[in-house]
Amino acid sequence: MIDQFLHNESNIREDEYGQTPQNMSRFAIEVVDAVIEAIGSDKTALRLTPAAYFNMKEDNRDKAVFDYLLPILETKNLAYLHGGIFDDSMRFDSLNGKNTSEFLREGYKGTLVGVGCYTYEAANKAIDEKSFDLIAIG
């Protein structure tokens, strides 16, 4: 549900949770803050899908939302941020031609978990290249 607030295609709200990157990020930040308060930042993680346009049209405005959100999340000292994508080799115009891992790594320096069509070999290479700190396979 959090992801729906972060994409212009799905967030058509006209209240304090829509229309601007700050407003669209508000729900994610509020949820993260509430979970951190309840269990601590070392046990809190978030999955973000800046370019997982399944049943949505790609929207160049979404980048501004994630550009706003990622530095804020970095200050939260999360256990990890999980990049959600089906195939991380896909590049997106809305992310200036980057794939999910490149975009997230550029904007977030904390622990980053990747996913998306990785083989054992490709996962090791991605970790060696510091695209991700961990890879989820399954």
Side-chain angles (χ1 to χ4, degrees), residues 2-33:
I2 292 172
D3 200 55
Q4 294 174 11
F5 283 81
L6 303 175
H7 293 279
N8 284 277
E9 177 79 9
S10 56
N11 184 341
I12 55 172
R13 300 175 67 102
E14 295 182 5
D15 61 7
E16 69 273 14
Y17 293 97
Q19 298 189 348
T20 69
Q22 295 81 2
N23 286 352
M24 293 170 70
S25 298
R26 184 184 316 273
F27 184 67
I29 295 166
E30 288 176 352
V31 169
V32 165
D33 286 344

Side-chain angles (χ1 to χ4, degrees), residues 85-96:
I85 189 73
F86 300 110
D87 180 355
D88 195 44
S89 68
M90 295 173 62
R91 298 193 171 275
F92 297 90
D93 292 336
S94 59
L95 300 179
N96 293 338

